[in-house]
Every structure is written in structure tokens, then in C-alpha cells.
Amino acid sequence: MARRLDRINRLLDGVTRNRREIVTPEGVMLEVDIANHGERLVAFMVDFLFWLLATSLLFLVLGLTLLHGVTGSVTITIVLFLSFLLRNLYFIHFELQSQGATPGKRLVNLKVIDRSGGPLLPGAIVARNLTREVEIFLPLGLFFSVPTLAEGGFWMALSYFGWAAGLSALPFFNRDHLRAGDLIAGTMVISVQRRPLLAELAQAESRYVFSRKQLDAYGAFELQVLEELLRRPSSPDTHGMQQEVCGKICRKIGWPEPVPEAEALAFLKAFYTAERAHLEREQQFGRYRADKHEAPSTGR
């Protein structure tokens, strides 16, 4: 199944998304899509921006009230402590309350899960987020605090920067894109695309009627490709792909008249409904076709 979905992703996108099979403690096999590096970076930058805005607002309020007249060293200590506290509370709170999704992750449809398929425990969430301090914020804080012009300061700053860069690059060196926090906490970040139910895709369009010969042109694999395309969120790229696929189907089945661009989605939904019903009916009689290159098999 995972290999078939990889073929679909390669056909639609030209790339293969990393897919893993996880067996839950109850013995249920789940297939998940591993979040790629770009998605995780975008999610982190969005969360970092939200945290920065919240921190700036807090410091503005404190500066006008409690910190007024406090000495510089004390102010810096308070600022660093509150930054650490707010930063970790932000990630921990949202991942606890939103089942492993911060606002940034929700924006790009990502989610933190337990690698063994079990429930996402609070201890794992705390561990993976506290580890981020050692991965990124602690070495970067030390890097910016080193006087590089002093004797030996340059090499010390470089070592701190290398510390942060090395740990940040860890997801590029394992197949599940795990950072140090994921390795310690036993978690992973997956992509959870919002998909409509099959029943929503199978709404028939009565103005499009297909013959048995036309429906015999495709098999189960092509049907699944079409299903994945219809499930995709609406976007200019998706619309362009729908029109391209619509044209290919029309040429393949010999559709007698051109389908207007505005009707491409309706045509694809109607063809999906008819093709799915046709293949299910054929399978009931022992005739199964894996894809368009394979002749229908007959039952014994």
C-alpha cells in the first residue's frame, strides 16, 4: 500500500513523500507521511514569530510597570528567564492542548505523534521541547554573548555556532527527519493533510454518463491517483493539475466534446464515481484490474 501511494505522489508531484508504517500497541497498522524539512522549517518560523510577538508585548508591559527603575543586570536576568519560560510554555502548552500541534504546525498541517503508535504522553512533549533549548537557543545565546574580538573569542563563538548548526542538521541525516528532541522523546512529526470523505468525492454528476468501454480504460491504480487529486486542497496548482488530468482522461476514453475549464472538477468527480462503481462491480464477479496496463483478471 505504501509503495502504491508513493507511486501516486511521484505521478502527481514528481516527488516521493517519505511514508512509514506504524503498528500501534493494539496491533493496528497505520500509514503516516513524514513531514519534510521545508514544512517543519515553516512551522517553526511561524511559531517563533508568534512567540516573539508575545514576548515583546510582555516585555513592553513589564517595562512600563514592574521593571521601571530596575538596574540593568537585574533587568537582563529577568528578561532571559521570562524568555526561556514563555518560549517553552508556548510549545508545551499548544502541543498538550492541541494533540501535538502548535499554531505553526496547524498552519502547514503537521502533527507530533509517538513513534511507537501509542498516545502522545505529556512527558514526551516536555522532553522534546526542553531539548530544543540545548539544540538551538542555548548555543545561539552563547554565540551572541561571546566578544569575538577578544583573544580566543572567535574560535569559541565558532564552536557555539557549530554546536547549533550540527544539532539543527540532524534531521537531514535520518530517514524520518528526527531532530534530537524527537530521538530523546520517542516522537516524530508527520504531515496530516485535510482530506474530504470518500462519500464527498463520490457525488454523482448526472450530466456526465460513461460507457463500459470508456470505464474499462483504467484500473484501480488510476482510480486511486484520481482520488488523491480530488482530495487535494484547492489552489492554482491543483486547478491546473485537474485540468491537465481531465484532458488526458478525455483523450484516453475518446470523450466526444471538450470539457470547459470551469467544468473540469465536476467531470473528474463524475468519472471517479462511475469508475469506482464499475471497478467494484467487476471485482464482485472476480474481474480485477490493477492498472491500465494490465488486462482484467478473471475469477477462478
Side-chain angles (χ1 to χ4, degrees):
M1 183 65 177
R3 292 181 179 178
R4 174 178 290 184
L5 292 175
D6 285 342
R7 289 177 61 195
I8 292 171
N9 289 328
R10 189 183 302 112
L11 180 62
L12 294 178
D13 296 328
V15 296
T16 301
R17 178 182 284 276
N18 289 341
R19 184 178 292 268
R20 296 290 176 264
E21 293 180 347
I22 298 177
V23 180
T24 68
E26 294 79 15
V28 179
M29 181 174 292
L30 302 175
E31 291 183 345
V32 297
D33 291 329
I34 305 300
N36 60 43
H37 304 299
E39 291 170 333
R40 296 191 65 168
L41 179 60
V42 170
F44 177 74
M45 294 305 295
V46 171
D47 287 326
F48 184 79
L49 179 61
F50 286 158
W51 165 78
L52 193 61
L53 292 174
T55 304
S56 300
L57 180 60
L58 176 62
F59 290 159
L60 179 61
V61 173
L62 291 176
L64 296 175
T65 56
L66 300 180
L67 297 182
H68 184 68
V70 180
T71 61
S73 59
V74 175
T75 300
I76 293 176
T77 302
I78 295 175
V79 166
L80 291 177
F81 174 74
L82 290 179
S83 297
F84 167 82
L85 191 63
L86 186 59
R87 181 169 58 243
N88 286 283
L89 285 178
Y90 172 89
F91 287 98
I92 293 173
H93 167 75
F94 282 111
E95 289 187 0
L96 283 174
Q97 296 298 318
S98 302
Q99 298 181 341
T102 59
K105 289 185 176 68
R106 285 200 300 271
L107 184 66
V108 290
N109 300 322
L110 301 184
K111 182 179 180 181
V112 180
I113 65 169
D114 183 81
R115 286 208 308 274
S116 62
L120 186 61
L121 301 177
I125 292 176
V126 172
R128 74 183 305 275
N129 285 293
L130 288 180
T131 306
R132 187 182 288 108
E133 294 296 318
V134 181
E135 291 178 89
I136 301 175
F137 294 107
L138 177 60
L140 288 183
L142 294 173
F143 170 77
F144 288 114
S145 66
V146 172
T148 56
L149 297 180
E151 183 178 356
F154 172 79
W155 297 109
M156 186 178 296
L158 186 62
S159 66
Y160 291 146
F161 182 79
W163 174 4
L167 289 178
S168 299
L170 187 60
F172 291 91
F173 297 98
N174 62 85
R175 65 173 191 168
D176 292 334
H177 305 165
L178 305 176
R179 63 177 184 84
D182 292 316
L183 292 172
I184 292 174
T187 58
M188 67 194 309
V189 181
I190 63 171
S191 175
V192 186
Q193 297 296 327
R194 296 184 178 90
R195 300 186 174 192
L197 298 176
L198 291 179
E200 297 175 359
L201 298 178
Q203 294 175 350
E205 300 288 339
S206 58
R207 60 182 176 275
Y208 295 111
V209 180
F210 304 96
S211 66
R212 179 188 177 91
K213 182 179 179 181
Q214 290 172 329
L215 296 175
D216 278 336
Y218 291 111
F221 173 73
E222 288 76 26
L223 179 69
Q224 194 167 4
V225 172
L226 181 56
E227 179 182 313
E228 291 294 319
L229 176 60
L230 293 175
R231 282 175 164 174
R232 294 193 168 203
S234 178
S235 70
D237 291 339
T238 301
H239 294 159
M241 196 176 298
Q242 289 170 351
Q243 293 169 12
E244 181 182 353
V245 171
C246 179
K248 290 182 178 180
I249 291 177
C250 289
R251 291 190 294 272
K252 177 71 174 178
I253 67 176
W255 191 251
E257 55 188 18
V259 177
E261 291 186 1
E263 294 293 321
L265 180 58
F267 178 87
L268 292 178
K269 286 183 177 180
F271 186 78
Y272 171 85
T273 302
E275 183 69 33
R276 182 182 178 188
H278 173 70
L279 292 177
E280 289 176 349
R281 184 169 54 250
E282 291 293 288
Q283 192 168 4
Q284 289 177 354
F285 291 96
R287 297 186 291 267
Y288 175 77
R289 192 176 190 188
D291 55 44
K292 63 183 180 182
H293 303 293
E294 180 180 332
S297 60
T298 58
R300 295 180 181 179

